[in-house]
Amino acid sequence: MPVDTRELIEAISILANERNVQVTMKQSAKGAMVCAASAFTGGILLGPVGLAIGGTAGGLMAYKMTSGSFRPLADVLLNDLTDDQQERLVQHVNNAVREFQISDLALLLPLLMNNASIQQAVLKTAISFVSNELRCQIID
């Protein structure tokens, strides 16, 4: 009997929570650019002291801009994926665990919770999927 897609997504979410995997929607690059631009501007205007002042001000601005943009992978999997994306993720997971010779997806859930190799394969697949589909950056 095949496992419900939602059940597998929830199992992957539990695994992601246990590993404390976080994602960001490309906010890190934006923050770095703000910080660099502030340091550059401060350096041009005030020299070496301006670099320090501009870097500090830019760091604070980047913090304010990106605050709250880091979310748990589990939250993204459960709330942000469309039904079609969830189906594709389940298919990717199914393909990733074929080397473990699991014939029925229903056997995957108990193994997922107890087998470190399968956990690694499934989590790696989920991270890759979210990175490629949603263009998120993963923070381990």
Side-chain angles (χ1 to χ4, degrees):
M1 176 174 115
V3 171
D4 181 31
T5 298
R6 192 72 181 167
E7 286 181 50
L8 183 56
I9 297 294
E10 288 173 3
I12 297 169
S13 297
I14 290 169
L15 182 60
N17 273 339
E18 288 175 357
R19 302 280 172 95
N20 196 27
V21 179
Q22 301 280 316
V23 300
T24 180
M25 305 294 188
K26 301 283 186 189
Q27 295 296 321
S28 296
K30 188 189 307 182
M33 288 192 303
V34 167
C35 192
S38 297
F40 178 75
T41 303
I44 294 226
L45 295 175
L46 301 173
V49 172
L51 283 172
I53 293 170
T56 302
L60 291 173
M61 283 190 296
Y63 167 76
K64 184 70 174 166
M65 286 175 43
T66 61
S67 181
S69 64
F70 295 90
R71 297 174 47 207
L73 176 60
D75 184 47
V76 172
L77 292 175
L78 291 172
N79 300 317
D80 292 353
L81 295 182
T82 64
D83 291 340
D84 183 53
Q85 288 173 324
Q86 287 181 351
E87 290 291 333
R88 288 198 316 263
L89 175 58
V90 167
Q91 187 59 40
H92 284 285
V93 168
N94 196 15
N95 291 341
V97 297
R98 282 200 182 155
E99 69 184 68
F100 296 101
Q101 299 176 347
I102 299 171
S103 59
D104 188 2
L105 203 52
L107 299 174
L108 178 60
L109 289 178
L111 286 173
L112 179 60
M113 293 303 153
N114 299 317
N115 186 314
S117 298
I118 292 178
Q119 287 177 355
Q120 186 66 24
V122 168
L123 194 56
K124 184 177 176 181
T125 301
I127 288 170
S128 174
F129 182 84
V130 169
S131 295
N132 294 332
E133 289 286 322
L134 301 180
R135 305 285 183 237
C136 294
Q137 291 177 332
I138 305 299
I139 303 161
D140 256 336

